[in-house]
């Protein structure tokens, strides 16, 4: 059984109303942490930054505004299905990214084929890897902060 799904998506990093630039973002989903997706942002001149958050948040965010805390995802235009805004926040600092909806949906479709949404707990080794996955997420958050 394949254990991960990856994709690279070009997103716009929205610095201000007047300034944005395109960056590659790696999307990753792993069966050892079936509830989470990871987005690694490759910002020019900086080390890559990885954010991990719930796969269901990304699924919901392509269709409607959602997210509490540090991650907010919403359609760019509630009337159209073309683009999604992803806002990441640490304290007072925030970053805003715009992505096409289609590549995110294609990635999520591939994750659903690997582990259908709602079936995450059925993975035989999930409990074994839960502590390991939580340690990895905490380490990623500490290195990002």
């Amino acid at each position: 059984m394949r254990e991960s799904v990856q994709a690279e998506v070009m997103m716009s990093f929205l610095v201000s109303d007047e300034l944005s630039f395109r960056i590659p973002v790696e999307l990753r989903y792993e069966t050892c942490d079936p509830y989470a997706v990871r987005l690694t942002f490759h910002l020019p001149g900086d080390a890559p930054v990885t954010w991990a958050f719930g796969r269901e948040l990304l699924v919901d965010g392509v269709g409607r505004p959602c997210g509490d805390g540090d991650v907010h995802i919403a359609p760019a235009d509630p009337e159209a299905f073309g683009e999604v805004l992803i806002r990441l926040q640490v304290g007072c600092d925030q970053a805003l990214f715009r992505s096409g909806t289609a590549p995110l949906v294609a990635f999520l479709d591939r994750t659903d084929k690997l582990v259908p949404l709602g079936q995450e707990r059925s993975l035989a080794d999930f409990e074994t890897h839960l502590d390991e996955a939580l340690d990895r997420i905490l380490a990623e958050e500490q290195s990002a902060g």
Side-chain angles (χ1 to χ4, degrees):
M1 177 176 146
R2 191 174 64 201
E3 296 186 4
S4 67
V5 172
Q6 289 183 198
E8 186 173 291
V9 174
M10 293 301 291
M11 292 189 186
S12 294
F13 176 37
L14 307 174
V15 179
S16 69
D17 289 341
E18 300 82 29
L19 178 63
S20 68
F21 51 92
R22 307 271 294 159
I23 62 166
V25 178
E26 178 187 335
L27 302 137
R28 185 165 182 85
Y29 176 78
E30 299 174 332
T31 57
C32 65
D33 189 7
Y35 290 100
V37 292
R38 285 175 174 63
L39 278 63
T40 300
F41 299 88
H42 297 275
L43 300 167
D46 285 331
V49 175
T50 300
W51 278 70
F53 53 86
R55 174 172 63 154
E56 195 168 343
L57 177 63
L58 188 57
V59 168
D60 291 344
V62 297
R64 64 178 175 81
C66 63
D68 292 322
D70 298 340
V71 180
H72 295 266
I73 303 173
D77 179 356
E79 304 293 317
F81 190 66
E83 294 182 318
V84 173
L85 296 174
I86 300 172
R87 183 170 53 89
L88 307 173
Q89 185 168 342
V90 176
C92 294
D93 296 326
Q94 68 177 8
L96 184 61
F97 301 90
R98 183 177 55 229
S99 173
T101 302
L104 296 178
V105 169
F107 169 74
L108 290 167
D109 184 56
R110 290 175 54 214
T111 71
D112 194 61
K113 287 181 175 130
L114 186 61
V115 179
L117 203 60
Q119 301 286 320
E120 296 90 351
R121 233 184 195 319
S122 68
L123 295 177
D125 60 350
F126 175 68
E127 294 296 329
T128 306
H129 291 88
L130 181 59
D131 287 335
E132 182 181 308
L134 291 173
D135 289 343
R136 189 173 61 244
I137 290 169
L138 289 173
E140 287 173 3
E141 287 178 356
Q142 289 174 349
S143 68

